Amino acid sequence: MSKKDQHARREVPTYCYQCVSGPDLLTVGVEDGVATEVQPNFDSASVHPAAGKICVKAYGLIQKTYNPHRIRTPMKRTNPKKGPDEEPGFVPISWDEALDLVAEKLNECRAKGLNDESGYPRVAASFGGGGTPTSYMGTFPAFLGAWGPIDAGFGSGQGVKCYHSEHLYGEFWHRAFTVAPDTPLCQYVLSFGGNVEASGGVCGVKRHADGRARGMKRVQLEPHLSITGACSSEWVPLRPKSDPAFLMAMIHVLLHERKWQELDLDFIRHRTSSPYLLGKFGYYMRDPETRKPLIWDAITDMPVPFDTPGIDPVLEAPFLVEHGIEEGPDGKEWVHINERCQTAWEKLVEHTEPYSPLWASHICDVPVKTIRRIAIEYLEHACIGQTIEIEGRTLPFRPVAITLGKTVNNGWGGFDCCWARTLLACLVGGLEVPGGTLGTTVRLNRPATSRQASVKPSRDGFMEYPMNPTDKENWTSRPDVRNANRTLVPLVANSPWSQALGPTHIAWMLQNATPENWPKPTLPDVWFVYRTNPVISFWDTDSIADTISRFPFTVCFAYTADETNYMADILLPECTDLESLQLIRIGGTKYFEQFWDHQGFALRQPAVQTQVDAQDFTWIATQLAKRTGLLEQYNDAINRGAAGVRLKSDVVDCSLNVDQEHSVEEIWDAVCRAASVEMSNGENQDGLDYYREHGLKVIPYEHLNWYLYPEIEDQGLRFEMPYQERLYRIGKQLANRLHESGISWWDAQLDEYEPLPVWQDFAALWERALEDNFKIDINDYPFWLVTSRSMQYAWGGNVDIQMIREVASNIAGHGGVIINTGRAGELGIANGDLIEISSPLNATRGRAILRQGVRPDTLVMIGQFDHWATPLAKTFEVPSMNKLTPMLLDLTDSTGSGADLVRAGVRLVEKAS
Amino acid sequence: MTRWGMVADLERCVGCQTCTASCKHTNATPPAVQWRKVLDLEVGAYPDVKRVFVPVGCMHCEDPPCMHVCPSTATGQRPDGIVTIDYDICIGCAYCAVACPYQARYKVNGPSFAYGGRTGMKNEARREDPARLGVAQKCTFCAERIDYGLANGLTPGIDHEATPACVNSCIADALHFGDFKDPNSNVSKLLEDHQTFRMHTELGTNPGFHYIWKRKNDADPQDEQQVAALFSSGIGSVGAAAPWLQQHWDWRAAGNFIGGGTGSGLMAAMVLGSLSTELPFLHVLIALACIGTGLFLVWLETGRPWRAPLNVFLNPKTSWMSRESMVAGALFPLALLAGWLGSKALLIIAALVAMGFLYCQARMLKASKGIPAWRQPALVRLIITTGLCEGIGLLMVIDSLSAFNYTGLPPALAILLIFRLRSWRAYHKALKVSAPDQTLRVLKILNMPFSLLGHLLPILLIASGYLFVEATPIFGAIAGACALAAGWLFKYQLITRASYNQGYAINHTPERGTGGGGPGGKPGWSTTT
């Protein structure tokens, strides 16, 4: 068609939020009511960090809309038996009937009591995609809020496939739910398994491409040459799970092989806990009067409370404290007279002495000189002493950063890596300053809209943190949800995100075996599922499928058939991306590399008519609220901000009448007006029509807000590094609580509450766990099996989109199992041969893809495939490591996380034709 | 003057395939057709290995082999350098596809939809273009966007409405479009500030697609040749970007070369044989049947067969396919007349024309720059000698079954077989340094049976015929059959089994932030020239 014709067509601005690195702002070309083309939203180029560009996944939305495999109408299961081998016998029903059936079950739950006999919520809900479903589910959160207790702990990969340690420890140490370099200024990045080019979205890709073009060096350390490894200056193929050793050796080089004067001693003394004095029981030595931790002041040559004005903290010297106290767990305290104390710094130096590059070299399978060189490069690129002016404020300039990827960040070793990374930033003064290592957003602390506003001082001079209580009076001894996140994981806090970040595999594991002194596991009476497919996306998938088949009533918001909704009772087709209406927040700083100089709102709106008998999610939520008698509470939840904006501000009231049912457009018009009011302090009330036409509305966002350091400095706080006194105490308290309840099966996890991480042989830990649990000889499984993100698929739920499949096939690894070329040759395996990959748990098959860019002891399975019910995807015959990865308590760390890692063996099945 | 072209910055490209998807949207290409795509290739061996993402597609060459070979003039070139295809003229012979060393051309014969079915989804039905069925298609540089932009005062490569969709979509700002003839254009500036290379420049195509691999500094040599020589010794490992077996010409095309070679060889053999005997009309008919069958088979392979009989003649200026067709057009009446009249003089003329036909066929293959096994110059002699061997071989077989006795044929065949064997060895030797590994593998397998059964055995039989006179006819027949079968086998293998395409290559791996880049590679090739 000619360009002239193209201009005669309609272009609809909307957004794509299929992955956590969105939203991407796009326009949809519509010809005669048919969506034909997706393009960047060039009108947003001046406000969007990647100039309005959109990721490849957004181009799949047109096929998604017209996909002939869509669920075309609400469906009801007719086969009462459930399971992968049980044909569900879905039959079409009307929306009225479907909603009545769901409401009937819900009303039964309400009548019986919102919690069951074990104290667990009768209603559960699972959402995937790292929180992205909330950008698609309209006002369903308002319905859930109106309902009451919901168990959101049946995970679909959360905790084990996210950046879990970073989520928890990152928020704890620097309000960093995820961590990113300050890429526009950074000059040296160490990426331990990070995969920003595949999962950092358009902003990440753009920022790093700009970085490379100006000479930024990035070293990629991981077992295979990923997309990000490919785009890096250097690839260091280190052994799986040896990252903590590498990082510890870097710390060793900086502390034991370089002069301390080369470090940012000013930052270390004033912005970390390094000068805090320690008592002999491992807790801070405190001033008996104020109970504040003591620091030795060089000016007065005496111990003083940490926040004494004008002091000059000392890091190292023999310290004799005349009178001090230590506070231990559960109110225990020790009084010390004339006690010789170490500083946290001295303890750190002593602690890291054994972790030399030579020591790490054997663990990482990386030459000593490489480890040492990288540590020195890191230090030399840090520009210690330099400053930069940001919006009129002078800040330290430290253009070095370390990023951690999945698996590095999950399970045992995750804590060690996060600690070492954060400490390395502190040693060069590069935490939360321009050019350095930055947090992006908060999800556990409040308010979620501002990292700065979430900073509140703790009594010890750090940031306060909303730990789940571990003291005797307040500990949640009886889990309130099935994954027991508040009971077992103090760090996971208690925000709306916390359940999904708890030990999400525990909810599944405990369905099959109840540990000692633990409430009887129960199944939820009603389970809602949206944009997730745990039968494919979690581990031990056969077992998950078996558990799900026992759920009594499962309601899936379903786009196509898939492996999880194969076991559903009701399928509800919702209007998809190009058919539905919702306003979301954009801008500010958010996951990965979403650092904007603007903030505001963007609208997702129908570009075309709904293609099947689907309904907008907001309409579904309203109908469920109405049929469960919760309309008033539901409307009230919307008014209070459940749709993303509080409808009533100090200046303008856009609230909905709580007594009546509102249409989808009425609801979002009110939200749009409230958003405009929020951005203009009431001067502007543009509603839905404005957003329909323009797609978005933004206001400036201060660049200074990218950095937390100014807030820390303004409040006179310190980063809680390097010594983990608070976690140490909490761990002891948690141990007391659990042991008082007769629970000893969490003891290994409790050992991780250390003030300074003590090295463990993580590879051996994995091997031992597999040998113990499966009674196998680990030598029969000589490979490490790992996974890697696919940019074309990650988080997208787009596995049934033909075009995505087609373009993804251009990237190696999407069709099978990546194996080192030389090693494959030794095994007589050629490119394309059918091989069997077996773990101690299970076996699967796939085509061998021979690549040079992978360690000889490592196999890689990209993405998560192995579908057997999802249309199109079930024809791929591409294996997934999820089937091979066991859920083991032995491999669960104290945060409730495990890693995508298993040992595997390989056998040739059939030569390629 | 304007020369539109692209620059791909390999330092920036992350292989996301957004350009691939965007192109599919804008140009509504069917499944498996990717006018733009990004390769994922490796250079080196573990642990010293580099992985590089390389955008490819039509290079809009200044000297495009696809255009030269096109028999219908459907492939053209605009004054601004954009290589075009006129879907209304194209006969779908796919000659351009095998001539393109960048594997940029596609041919789709029937409707094809993402999820199957007869009409596809609504968006597919809305954008379906029947004119593209059965013809060649490829990247157009989104020429209609450029033309629209220029008509509206916009600058292609700068204003998105006037810029190719892939460039607009690139999330890494790796793709750039502009006018190379304008020294102040965005792309000219990029070339000025960076070290660049172009793919397969040794093939003389002068592509309009440059790859940035390094930021320039003062110490760098400025000359493209010098820069290329710096690192271009790397050898690529096999990967997705390695050459693959071309699928455009199948057994039907092989049939054309088999029938054409044998038929025209038979015409020449008849000249040799009829020096001492009558000219049998039947033999002329057999020769023409061979050639005709070959032409019929290849006609079956065209995507637009009803256009082909006329449009195939439209480009005699540069296309050996047009020339082959024209020569065939002259050969048939001449040969028929020679046979009908029994005129040896006319037969000699017809045989010369047949030799011309055979030569056209050989040159057709040589002009296929996309297939290393075909474009090798030594193939021309081999195709001609094998055609002659097949013709004589066939005549010897016919001779043994009929009353005719062409006594001069066996020694002629023996001599020609020696020539063919030498041609084969020269061709094989030349290919060893100019063909992908898979092609060499196929030819290596072919070497022994072709050399022994197709040459040494028939020569031995012919020689034996002089020792065992009673057995001469049968020995001659077997020798002829061997020579004939070997020729057919060779051509079948050449067209359908050894025809791995050029694949892709990079002269350098790019620098990534620091490091200055490194040696390039050519996946699937163990040797390079």
Side-chain angles (χ1 to χ4, degrees), chain B residues 176-499:
Chain B
H176 304 270
F177 182 79
D179 179 9
F180 288 122
K181 288 278 169 66
D182 175 0
N184 296 313
S185 73
N186 56 336
V187 289
S188 295
K189 294 282 182 198
L190 283 168
L191 296 194
E192 203 175 298
D193 296 339
H194 295 83
Q195 299 284 15
T196 61
F197 66 84
R198 289 177 295 165
M199 195 182 288
H200 304 330
T201 46
E202 71 279 9
L203 298 176
T205 52
N206 197 2
F209 203 115
H210 296 245
Y211 294 97
I212 289 174
W213 64 278
K214 184 177 183 297
R215 276 161 272 131
K216 236 177 216 175
N217 62 50
D218 296 341
D220 290 335
Q222 303 300 309
D223 178 71
E224 191 175 9
Q225 294 292 325
Q226 280 182 295
V227 174
L230 279 179
F231 291 115
S232 57
S233 58
I235 302 298
S237 63
V238 176
W244 67 92
L245 195 60
Q246 64 81 24
Q247 302 294 317
H248 296 289
W249 284 6
D250 60 12
W251 63 272
R252 292 169 294 187
N256 184 34
F257 291 101
I258 289 170
T262 306
S264 48
L266 183 55
M267 289 295 296
M270 277 188 287
V271 170
L272 197 65
S274 62
L275 293 176
S276 57
T277 72
E278 292 294 311
L279 169 65
F281 190 34
L282 178 66
H283 291 188
V284 173
L285 290 179
I286 291 172
L288 293 180
C290 287
I291 295 169
T293 303
L295 290 171
F296 176 71
L297 288 174
V298 79
W299 174 76
L300 289 180
E301 197 162 32
T302 58
R304 294 285 188 162
W306 304 118
R307 282 183 201 162
L310 282 180
N311 292 4
V312 74
F313 297 106
L314 295 181
N315 191 20
K317 197 173 167 190
T318 61
S319 171
W320 285 100
M321 186 181 275
S322 285
R323 291 169 186 170
E324 181 211 33
S325 306
M326 295 180 106
V327 172
L331 174 61
F332 275 80
L334 258 177
L336 282 172
L337 196 61
W340 180 258
L341 299 175
S343 164
K344 290 184 180 174
L346 269 177
L347 177 68
I348 291 169
I349 295 170
L352 285 172
V353 175
M355 285 302 95
F357 180 81
L358 186 57
Y359 182 68
C360 286
Q361 286 207 323
R363 292 300 301 269
M364 263 174 68
L365 290 171
K366 181 170 176 283
S368 301
K369 282 198 173 176
I371 312 297
W374 298 355
R375 67 171 183 239
Q376 170 54 241
L379 180 64
V380 174
R381 203 175 74 188
L382 179 56
I383 288 290
I384 291 170
T385 52
T386 199
L388 290 171
C389 288
E390 287 160 29
I392 296 174
L394 178 59
L395 197 53
M396 285 169 65
V397 174
I398 296 170
D399 189 23
S400 70
L401 300 172
S402 63
F404 298 100
N405 184 14
Y406 300 132
T407 51
L409 290 181
L413 179 60
I415 292 165
L416 271 169
L417 284 174
I418 291 168
F419 272 113
R420 184 168 82 172
L421 189 60
R422 285 173 58 88
S423 300
W424 161 252
R425 291 172 68 86
Y427 168 72
H428 199 185
K429 185 181 174 188
L431 269 192
K432 281 179 180 170
V433 290
S434 61
D437 298 346
Q438 292 286 39
T439 292
L440 296 177
R441 182 186 58 80
V442 172
L443 294 183
K444 189 178 176 186
I445 294 169
L446 179 65
N447 184 37
M448 287 305 277
F450 186 59
S451 300
L452 295 178
L453 301 178
H455 296 81
L456 294 181
L457 177 63
I459 289 170
L460 206 60
L461 286 169
I462 289 167
S464 304
Y466 290 101
L467 297 175
F468 308 101
V469 180
E470 301 80 27
T472 299
I474 185 72
F475 280 4
I478 296 171
C482 283
L484 180 66
W488 286 16
L489 174 69
F490 161 65
K491 282 191 269 194
Y492 182 80
Q493 293 290 97
L494 178 72
I495 302 302
T496 66
R497 294 282 184 270
S499 53

Side-chain angles (χ1 to χ4, degrees), chain A residues 1-4 6-7 9 31-32 34-40 42-43 50 53-64 66-69 197 201-202 205-206 209-218 223-227 230-235 237 365 559 611 791-792 800-803 806-813 820-821 831 850-856 862 872, chain B residues 9-34 36-53 113-116 120-124 126-127 129 132 144-149 152 160-163 165-174 194 215 237-241 510-515:
Chain A
M1 85 183 293
S2 74
K3 192 72 192 174
K4 193 177 170 187
Q6 285 183 31
H7 276 254
R9 70 183 181 172
E31 300 170 9
D32 297 335
V34 179
T36 56
E37 187 179 359
V38 161
Q39 284 196 342
F42 294 105
D43 293 339
K53 299 292 179 72
I54 48 177
C55 132
V56 61
K57 286 189 279 286
Y59 290 87
L61 293 179
I62 289 183
Q63 284 194 357
K64 181 172 183 178
Y66 299 112
N67 185 345
H69 299 129
E197 262 80 28
V202 294
V205 167
K206 169 86 163 66
D210 289 346
R212 288 195 293 279
R214 53 154 219 277
M216 179 182 84
K217 179 170 184 177
R218 188 176 65 203
H224 73 289
L225 187 53
S226 64
I227 301 285
C231 298
S232 297
S233 312
E234 181 181 353
W235 172 47
D365 192 22
Y559 157 62
Q611 298 299 306
M791 179 168 186
Q792 295 77 29
D800 48 1
I801 308 234
Q802 178 276 332
M803 193 208 67
E806 181 185 325
V807 304
S809 300
N810 292 340
I811 295 298
N820 175 276
T821 307
N831 211 29
L850 273 53
R851 298 284 282 184
Q852 297 286 350
V854 61
R855 284 178 58 89
I862 288 180
L872 189 71
Chain B
D9 188 339
L10 297 184
E11 182 179 32
R12 299 186 72 104
C13 182
V14 301
C16 65
Q17 310 293 336
T18 307
C19 54
T20 315
S22 171
C23 172
K24 291 189 71 71
H25 271 216
T26 297
N27 296 297
T29 54
V33 173
Q34 298 177 359
R36 161 78 58 248
K37 67 178 175 182
V38 184
L39 308 173
D40 174 1
L41 54 87
E42 286 185 322
V43 177
Y46 179 86
D48 298 318
V49 55
K50 299 280 184 189
R51 185 178 179 185
V52 189
F53 304 109
F113 303 111
Y115 295 97
M121 296 178 290
K122 276 185 187 176
N123 60 313
E124 291 173 308
R126 179 72 182 77
R127 304 288 302 280
D129 183 1
R132 273 201 213 147
E144 73 283 6
R145 295 174 76 99
I146 295 166
D147 295 343
Y148 167 84
N152 288 276
H160 71 84
E161 289 163 303
T163 301
C166 56
V167 176
N168 277 343
S169 73
C170 180
I171 65 174
D173 290 343
H194 295 83
R215 276 161 272 131
S237 63
V238 176
E511 68 180 338
R512 299 282 200 177
T514 58

Side-chain angles (χ1 to χ4, degrees), chain A residues 130-286:
Chain A
T132 54
T134 49
S135 293
Y136 284 98
M137 60 169 75
T139 55
F140 195 63
F143 169 73
L144 296 178
W147 174 262
I150 302 283
D151 190 336
F154 283 102
S156 48
Q158 300 98 322
V160 301
K161 291 173 181 288
C162 61
Y163 300 78
H164 195 257
S165 297
E166 185 163 291
H167 293 333
L168 272 55
Y169 294 106
E171 283 229 8
F172 179 54
W173 286 319
H174 59 119
R175 296 296 186 261
F177 186 73
T178 61
V179 174
D182 187 19
T183 312
L185 293 175
C186 196
Q187 279 298 106
Y188 190 82
V189 177
L190 292 177
S191 169
F192 287 83
N195 204 353
V196 69
E197 262 80 28
S199 58
V202 294
C203 297
V205 167
K206 169 86 163 66
R207 281 159 46 112
H208 280 263
D210 289 346
R212 288 195 293 279
R214 53 154 219 277
M216 179 182 84
K217 179 170 184 177
R218 188 176 65 203
V219 181
Q220 183 76 8
L221 305 102
E222 65 182 331
H224 73 289
L225 187 53
S226 64
I227 301 285
T228 301
C231 298
S232 297
S233 312
E234 181 181 353
W235 172 47
V236 179
L238 87 177
R239 189 175 276 145
K241 269 293 169 193
S242 66
D243 319 76
F246 196 105
L247 285 158
M248 291 295 247
M250 284 182 66
I251 294 170
H252 175 97
V253 171
L254 265 54
L255 294 182
H256 297 274
E257 298 184 9
R258 309 295 291 194
K259 292 177 181 160
W260 290 356
Q261 286 71 21
E262 292 180 78
L263 308 177
D264 192 338
L265 289 177
D266 192 51
F267 187 99
I268 291 166
R269 287 187 302 157
H270 294 285
R271 293 287 158 246
T272 73
S273 67
S274 300
Y276 282 25
L277 295 172
L278 301 176
K280 66 180 172 192
F281 296 105
Y283 300 93
Y284 293 139
M285 185 67 91
R286 295 170 185 271

